[in-house]
C-alpha cells in the first residue's frame, strides 16, 4: 500500500526499488500511501496504547515486517513547557521538543531507525552518507546495530568533536573531504548512482523522512491530540521541516486534526539560501557557495530538499528567518540557564528565531508555539566552553574557597550566606 512518488511529475516507484531521484524529471521522491488502508489498519490496531516512540506509529511507516526493525529506542523525547523563556520573550505558550534526548543525541535517529530498517529489507550490506556530523553519528550507530558496513563523509576540520567521536567509536569508515558538506553530498550522490549496492541514507532518501515525520505525530500526542499554532525548526539540508510537515498533513488527511501549524524555518545568516529565496519571492533556490556559521550542523549552502521545505513553509502560511551567530550563542545560553536544556548551537537557532520574530512583530504573542531543538549540547562541548565564564582555580583550602566566593566582604557573600 506504500509507494514512492515524484513530488513534481507524480511518477510512481515501488518501495522495493533503490531510486533517489525521479527517473523522468529528476525531482525529489516521497513515500505515499493508500490512506484509507492506513485508517483501517489504525482501527484494528492498539496503537494509542503503545509507548511514545517512532514505532508507536508503525501503521504510518513503509515497513513490511515488524520483526526486522532496527531500533535503539528512538523518539519519545521530552516536550518541555518553558515558562521562564515565555516570560523572557514575552509570549503566552512555549514548548521545546528536545530531540537531543534521542539515543545518539539528535533527531536523525528517527530517520535512521526507518532508513536502516529499509536497508535491511532491501538486503544491502553497505550504507553511506555525507554529513555535518549528526547524520554520520546516527548512521554509524544504527549500521553497527544492524551489522552493516558504514561509510561517512564529513567536511574536513569543520565537524564538532562529539559527533566525530561517535562515528569513529561505532566503527564507521570516516572520510574527511577537503570541501564543505555540499561538496561531500555531491560526491556520495554520484557514488550511490554508480554503485547501487551502497545504500545512500541522506535525507534525499524518502524513507529517512518517513521516520522523521514521527516528530510531528509526537507533538500531536504530547499536546493531547492537538496541534500548536506554530512550529519553529532549524533548517540545514531541509529534510526535517519537510518531514514534520508531512506527518502533520497526514494526520490532517486522516481527520485527526483540524488545523495545521505554521511551519517556520530558521537558518544561520551565513548559510540561508532558503530564507533568502522565500524573502525575495523567488521560484528557484540560489545556493550559497561558501556557507559559514558557528552552528556547523546547518552550515549548508545547497539544501537538497529545498523544494519540500519551501512548500511546507508556504502551504502552512509560515515564514522563514535568519539569525546571526551571536544570536544563536545567546539563545543557547538562555535555554541552558533559564530552562536547564543544553542544546547544540544549530538547535538554539529555533529559539533565536522565535525571539527575533517576536521582536519584529511577526509572531502573535498569544500563539501556542513549539520550538524544535535538534541536537544535544554535548555534541559540541568546545563551543559551550568558549562561550561561558571560565572556571576559577584555587588552592585546596577553606580560606581560598571563601576568598573565591567573596565570603565575609562582598554583596555576593551576603547572598550566598542568607
Ligand atoms: N539541527 C541539527 C543539530 C542538525 O544536525 C541538522 C542537520 C539540522 C538541524 C538541520 O536539519 O538538514 O533536516 O534541515 N544535520 C545534517 C547532518 C545535515 O549531516 O547531520 P535538516
Amino acid at each position: 500500500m506504500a509507494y514512492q512518488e515524484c513530488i513534481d511529475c507524480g511518477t510512481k516507484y515501488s518501495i522495493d526499488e533503490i531510486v533517489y531521484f525521479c527517473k523522468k524529471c529528476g525531482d525529489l521522491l516521497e513515500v505515499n500511501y493508500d490512506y484509507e488502508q492506513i485508517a483501517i489498519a489504525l482501527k484494528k490496531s492498539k496503537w494509542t496504547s503503545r509507548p511514545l516512540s517512532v514505532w508507536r506509529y508503525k501503521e504510518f511507516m513503509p515497513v513490511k515486517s515488524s520483526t526486522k526493525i532496527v531500533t535503539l529506542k528512538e523518539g519519545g523525547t521530552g516536550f518541555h513547557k518553558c515558562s521562564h523563556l515565555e516570560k523572557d520573550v514575552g509570549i503566552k505558550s512555549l514548548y521545546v521538543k528536545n530531540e537531543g534526548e534521542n539515543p545518539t543525541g539528535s533527531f536523525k535517529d528517527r530517520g535512521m531507525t526507518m532508513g536502516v530498517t529499509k536497508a535491511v529489507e532491501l538486503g544491502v550490506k553497505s550504507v553511506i552518507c555525507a554529513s555535518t556530523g549528526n547524520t554520520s553519528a546516527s548512521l554509524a550507530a544504527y549500521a553497527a546495530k544492524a551489522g552493516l558496513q558504514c561509510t561517512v563523509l564529513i567536511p574536513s576540520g569543520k565537524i564538532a568533536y562529539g559527533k566525530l567521536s561517535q562515528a569513529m567509536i561505532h566503527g564507521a569508515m570516516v572520510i574527511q573531504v577537503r570541501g564543505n558538506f555540499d561538496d561531500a553530498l555531491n560526491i556520495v550522490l554520484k557514488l550511490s548512482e554508480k554503485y547501487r549496492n551502497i545504500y545512500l541514507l541522506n535525507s534525499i532518501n524518502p524513507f529517512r523522512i518517513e521516520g522523521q515525520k514521527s516528530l510531528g505525530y509526537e507533538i500531536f500526542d504530547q499536546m493531547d491530540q492537538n496541534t500548536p499554532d506554530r512550529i519553529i525548526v532549524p533548517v540545514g539540508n531541509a529534510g526535517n521541516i519537510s518531514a514534520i510537515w508531512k506527518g502533520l498533513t497526514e494526520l490532517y488527511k486522516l481527520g485527526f486534526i483540524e488545523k495545521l501549524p505554521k511551519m517556520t524555518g530558521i537558518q544561520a545568516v551565513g548559510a540561508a539560501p532558503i530564507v533568502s529565496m522565500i524573502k525575495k519571492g523567488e521560484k528557484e533556490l540560489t545556493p550559497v557557495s561558501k556557507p559559514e556559521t558557528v552552528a556547523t550542523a546547518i552550515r549548508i549552502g545547497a539544501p537538497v530538499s529545498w523544494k519540500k521545505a519551501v512548500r511546507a513553509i508556504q502551504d502552512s502560511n509560515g515564514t522563514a528567518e535568519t539569525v546571526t551567530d551571536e544570536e544563536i550563542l545567546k539563545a543557547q545560553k538562555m535555554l541552558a540557564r533559564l530552562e536547564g536544556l543544553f542544546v547544540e548551537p544549530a538547535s538554539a537557532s529555533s529559539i533565536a528565531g522565535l525571539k527575533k520574530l517576536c521582536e519584529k512583530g511577526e509572531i502573535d504573542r498569544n500563539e501556542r508555539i513549539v520550538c524544535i531543538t535538534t541536537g544535544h549540547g554535548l555534541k559540541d562541548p568546545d563551543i559551550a566552553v568558549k562561550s561561558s565564564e571560565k572556571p576559577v582555580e584555587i588552592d585546596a583550602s577553606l580560606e581560598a574557597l571563601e576568598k573565591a566566593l567573596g565570603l565575609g566582604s562582598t554583596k555576593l557573600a551576603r547572598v550566598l550566606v542568607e
Side-chain angles (χ1 to χ4, degrees), residues 106-108 130-136 163 181 202-203 208 212 234-241 297-298 300 344 346-347 374-375:
S106 84
F107 69 95
K108 306 286 180 182
S131 179
T132 55
N134 282 322
T135 300
S136 63
K163 305 174 189 181
F181 168 83
N202 276 100
S203 57
R208 274 271 314 273
Q212 284 176 214
V235 173
N237 213 19
N240 205 29
I241 193 167
I298 52 172
I300 294 174
E344 66 168 288
S347 305
T374 41

Side-chain angles (χ1 to χ4, degrees), residues 42 45-50 56-57 59-60 220-221 256:
L42 286 175
S45 79
K46 294 200 170 67
W47 72 285
T48 48
S49 58
R50 294 179 199 142
R56 171 181 167 89
Y57 313 100
E59 282 76 10
F60 293 85
F220 157 79
D221 267 333
F256 285 105

